[in-house]
Amino acid sequence: MPALSDRLGWIDVEAVRAFGSSRSRQNPWDVTRSLGWDRAVKSVQPCSLPRLLKLKEMFNSKFGSIPKFYVRAPGRVNIIGEHIDYCGYSVLPMAVEQDMLIAVEPVKTHVLQLANTNPLYPDFSTSANNIQIDKTKPLWHNYFLCGFKGIQEHFGLSDLTGMNCLVDGNIPPSSGLSSSSALVCCAGLVTLTVLGMNLSKVELAEICAKSERYIGTEGGGMDQSISFLAEEGTAKLIEFSPLGATDVKLPSGAVFVIANSCVEMNKAATSHFNIRVMECRLAAKLLAKHKSLPWKEVLRLEEVQAKLGISLEEMLLITEDALHPEPYSPEEICKCLGISLQELKTQILSPNTQDVLTFKLYQRAKHVYSEAARVLQFKKICEEAPDNVVQLLGELMNQSHRSCRDMYECSCPELDQLVDICRKFGAQGSRLTGAGWGGCTVSIVPAEKLSSFLANVHEAYYQRSNRSLAPEKQSLFATKPGGGALVFLEA
């Protein structure tokens, strides 16, 4: 197996090869060799030895051989900063302990064979040199193909070796915890490892963010960035253009709790997500035109602020002045920009938004600029750590949910109900997290109230309905910042 780049900071867990030894069963990480990342050892804890053993046994049963290495990529919870990464603004996520884990064996054929430990996800095989991704069917294996194809195209390779892969994920699907992006990232790192190529974490995150768009989702890059750049014990302020991550120390007196609404929303299977992306793009162009900027070059709301060199608060005032709350028709947008309907559809709108009849530009821009300001306030409060830090952070999270619900319209009745229940039973703040329209909430809870909070929310939201059928550990759980993607080599 080719050596991985020291720049990556991945860990080579030599103990994985000794699954059968008593020593490795007692402490599988005590013969770990670090590649310059002293905190990485702690980050492998979510990949427990029993889980790796089970995956190895299932792989052997499935393919009749032993995996050569394993790759882990975590899911994430976005604490604050919703739907603003693709507008160019910083976000504040942390990796969760739940992850995607893939066992891999390179093979001499050119066949890519994918299997999943979950029987709901059928096996799939294809030629490694003829990757086809169907945007109309967001099937599980297409997310793996996105990561694979992203690396393939980045290096301009045409004659790739095949591989056998067995995927095991414990991130609740369609929950807003980024299970799909974790699979894309895992697949990208799998492919990079098989090829023996070198990339930095930032480069790999950018490639995976771009390649996930093969599935038809116009995302912004937060999910992939935190999956690679996460470090145990700290949230991250993720900035874009250029991509970078800054540690944000969360208050020690609070716990973040994830609660699953049990309403599934696959953002690749709906137009909601991509319409919001386009509404933000159109709002940026109209705001730029209003301020006599070269609007044709503008794609993101952040670019308007940057070109004007003004504050987020001033951008909110300009939004009030330049845009009206009533929905815009395509014809009105054309009139504002001085272009034809054909130009709008072919030069600005994405293929899956060309038939949309109305666009809400004022509401989307108001949410983005106010949410971007809340992210910066959140980071500042964490740094200053006043006595009422948990209360202040909670209020920002509450403001974020109201904006997501009323201005961005990406909530749903179940999420709103769950947020209200969480606040009622002790959360200082609670908000939807992820794309919305289902999925999870994240709440900031004083540490001393955690036990009663979990019991009361479980009874109020899950036990009083059929939602109690969902696995409890995937429905309601406290989490802490986890580590980023790793490779385990089986020597």
Side-chain angles (χ1 to χ4, degrees), residues 371-389:
E371 185 79 347
R374 281 186 286 272
V375 170
L376 299 181
Q377 286 177 278
F378 196 100
K379 178 177 181 286
K380 185 171 183 282
I381 292 169
C382 285
E383 290 171 344
E384 294 176 349
D387 290 342
N388 60 341
V389 58

Side-chain angles (χ1 to χ4, degrees), residues 354-373:
Q354 290 181 359
D355 297 325
V356 176
L357 299 178
T358 59
F359 297 94
K360 292 186 177 182
L361 308 188
Y362 170 88
Q363 292 86 346
R364 310 318 183 216
K366 287 272 284 187
H367 166 76
V368 169
Y369 289 130
S370 64
E371 185 79 347

Side-chain angles (χ1 to χ4, degrees), residues 191-213:
T191 311
L192 188 72
T193 307
V194 168
L195 294 173
M197 299 291 194
N198 292 332
L199 288 172
S200 70
K201 291 183 180 184
V202 166
E203 289 168 329
L204 193 48
E206 290 176 331
I207 291 168
C208 288
K210 180 181 178 182
S211 67
E212 190 165 336
R213 295 171 193 158

Side-chain angles (χ1 to χ4, degrees), residues 286 324 326-337:
L286 263 66
H324 57 67
E326 297 76 27
Y328 286 73
S329 67
E331 289 77 13
E332 184 180 4
I333 291 170
C334 290
K335 184 178 179 181
C336 291
L337 296 178

